[in-house]
Structures are given as structure tokens and as C-alpha cells.
Amino acid sequence: MADFKAALKDAQDVLRTWTSRGLIVTPDAEDLSKAMSHALHGGKALRAFLVLESSRLHGVERQIAERAAFAIECIHAYSLVHDDLPCMDDDDLRRGLPTVHKKWDEATAVLAGDALQSMAFEMMLHHSMGPHRAETTKTLAMAARFMVRGQMMDIEAETASEPLTLKQITYLQSGKTGALIRWSGTAGPQLAGEHSEELGRYADALGLAFQIADDVLDVEGDEATVGKAVGKDAGAGKATFVSLLGLDAAKLRARQLVDEACDALSCYGEDAETLKEAARFVITRTH
């Protein structure tokens, strides 16, 4: 696990470096810039890690990989800022800190999310990103749209006459959570102008395991450790993997998905050990 922890810290360092480099505070937009930085602060940087690792496996130049890693974290942060708004999940806490609309106001949160999304595509389309930047940016846009569709399905499910089935919630979460994780895990080969079905299978299994772990944390976690409100899904009567499968069966399914993720990487040999450690991490994390 030591290699994974070092690689994850490296991804966090990349995110901090590019945040300070990319967000320029100007007198006429100081609150906006601060809100964007706040939204990017304190995350695990798992998606950035996946971009960096998949890029390493496919020989992508480091600076290109770092730009893509920062871009996906901007998309992820924007989605969280908007997801926390009163019109959505109405959360006061994110990553152990006040959500953007609580620290500033709703208008600033909306605009900060908008700006983070725009910055992601600006990063991806920079001339230094190589010959495959346009196609990789296109797939990022598709992943972001799929994520939004998953969020919309989640909102609609709250007022549906019948709870979602296991098949429906799996499809929903393949967008809401899984789409950005899949893009991150396959960004390396895309940036290299290549294709990796194996990394796609790995990322799909990882994304679903990650969501199941989130559902478990909502039941078993505590707010101080998780860094956000817990118990909200049950309180809202939401269908989750835990509510549909039961706690023990959900944990078992997550472990099975981790095995599937690791098996998918066999063609990479020992070079993929850090990615395997990441898969094991997502279902043992406490936040």
C-alpha cells in the first residue's frame, strides 16, 4: 500500500500546484477565485491519481498527464459544488469544510462551479496537450454529460412512485459516480492515441465499488471522519446498494468488484500494482 499512498500524495501535490498556478486572483473576481480554490481543496484526488497512473502505463508525457489530472478534478469539484446547493442535496459540509454556498452564497457557488467546468476544458485544449487532445476532450465532455444525467435520474427518483431497482441504480451510478472515474482510468491511453479495454473494465468495476463504499459510509460512517453529512440516504428514503442488497451483501459485492478490477489489469503485470492497491483502498477508506 506504500506505493499507492505515495502515488496518491503525488496526485494531491499536482492538484495543489496546478490550483495555485491556474487560479489567478484578480481584484474584480477575488471571491470567485477563492471559491474555486476552496472547492478544489481537501479532496482525495483519486481521479487525478487514475489519470496519472493510466498515463504512466501508456507513456504519456508528465506535463500532459498533469494537465488532464487537474482538468478532471475541476470537473469533479464543479459537480460537488452544484450537488451541495440547496436546490440539490442541500449540504452544509464537504471534505470537512463548509460547502461553497455556505462559506459564500448560492450565486457564488453556481458561478464557481461554472468557472471550474470551463477551466477544465481550457486545460484540456491547450496546445501543449498533444495531437489527441481534441478527441480526449470530447470524451471528457461526454463523461461530464453522463454524470449530469445520472444526477438528474437521482433527483427524479426521490419523487418516483416506486423505488429504483438494482439494475436502475447501477445504471444511475455508472453515470453519477462512474463516468468520471471511467474517463480518469482510461485517460492515459486516450492521450496516447491508444485504446485499453482492460483499463475500461478496471475503471468500471472501480467506480461501482467506490459508490457501494459511499453507500456503506452513509450508514456506518460518522460525520467528523467522512467530512460530510451521513445518514441522509435513509432519511430521504433513497434506494441505495445498501438498502437494496443489505449491508453485508453490499460489502461482499464491493469486494467482488475489486477482484474484477484487479483481474482486468493482468496484462499490465507488476506495472499495475499501484492501480490494484487503489481498488483495494476504495472499499476500505473511511472518508
Side-chain angles (χ1 to χ4, degrees):
M1 189 65 77
D3 288 347
F4 166 67
K5 288 181 178 178
L8 190 62
K9 183 181 182 303
D10 176 50
Q12 293 164 357
D13 290 342
V14 166
L15 180 56
R16 279 192 292 270
T17 298
W18 281 94
T19 298
S20 62
R21 185 183 302 175
L23 300 181
I24 301 172
V25 177
T26 57
D28 57 343
E30 187 173 349
D31 278 351
L32 178 62
S33 297
K34 287 181 177 179
M36 293 166 71
S37 296
H38 181 83
L40 286 163
H41 178 73
K44 291 180 286 294
L46 179 65
R47 291 154 190 82
F49 157 82
L50 291 171
V51 171
L52 294 172
E53 279 297 300
S54 65
S55 295
R56 180 183 63 80
L57 288 176
H58 284 262
V60 175
E61 183 183 330
R62 174 70 181 196
Q63 178 144 326
I64 291 176
E66 286 190 6
R67 278 186 170 273
F70 181 63
I72 193 61
E73 290 293 339
C74 284
I75 293 287
H76 180 51
Y78 118 73
S79 74
L80 298 181
V81 171
H82 284 188
D83 193 42
D84 290 336
L85 287 167
C87 63
M88 302 274 274
D89 280 359
D90 193 16
D91 278 313
D92 297 344
L93 199 66
R94 171 71 66 178
R95 297 168 173 171
L97 298 170
T99 50
V100 174
H101 72 274
K102 280 294 179 181
K103 189 171 177 63
W104 284 274
D105 52 51
E106 289 183 42
T108 301
V110 170
L111 294 173
D114 292 344
L116 284 163
Q117 181 178 200
S118 299
M119 179 171 283
F121 294 110
E122 178 185 350
M123 293 291 293
M124 288 298 301
L125 290 170
H126 193 271
H127 67 85
S128 68
M129 286 295 286
H132 306 291
R133 63 183 181 275
E135 186 61 30
T136 311
T137 304
K138 177 183 176 181
T139 61
L140 175 59
M142 293 169 65
R145 184 163 55 86
F146 194 23
M147 174 197 68
V148 172
R149 182 169 66 178
Q151 179 65 46
M152 188 70 214
M153 291 173 64
D154 197 29
I155 291 171
E156 291 174 341
E158 293 178 5
T159 55
S161 57
E162 297 289 335
L164 295 179
T165 64
L166 184 60
K167 182 178 180 180
Q168 288 172 324
I169 200 168
T170 300
Y171 178 71
L172 182 161
Q173 296 298 354
S174 70
K176 184 180 177 184
T177 300
L180 296 190
I181 289 178
R182 179 182 174 83
W183 185 88
S184 303
T186 59
Q190 290 186 66
L191 289 165
E194 299 167 357
H195 174 75
S196 174
E197 182 180 334
E198 294 82 6
L199 279 176
R201 293 202 309 270
Y202 165 83
D204 284 342
L206 180 74
L208 193 53
F210 186 96
Q211 182 57 49
I212 294 174
D214 256 12
D215 290 350
V216 169
L217 284 174
D218 192 65
V219 174
E220 293 188 331
D222 66 273
E223 183 173 300
T225 303
V226 176
K228 61 181 180 179
V230 296
K232 292 192 69 175
D233 291 341
K238 274 189 176 183
T240 68
F241 288 104
V242 171
S243 69
L244 292 172
L245 296 173
L247 189 58
D248 290 340
K251 289 180 179 180
L252 175 61
R253 180 58 185 141
R255 292 194 295 272
Q256 291 170 340
L257 286 162
V258 167
D259 289 341
E260 291 174 20
C262 292
D263 289 345
L265 297 173
S266 58
C267 66
Y268 290 99
E270 293 183 359
D271 285 343
E273 189 56 38
T274 308
L275 285 172
K276 292 179 181 180
E277 290 175 5
R280 299 178 190 114
F281 162 78
V282 300
I283 63 167
T284 57
R285 61 195 168 91
T286 56
H287 63 284

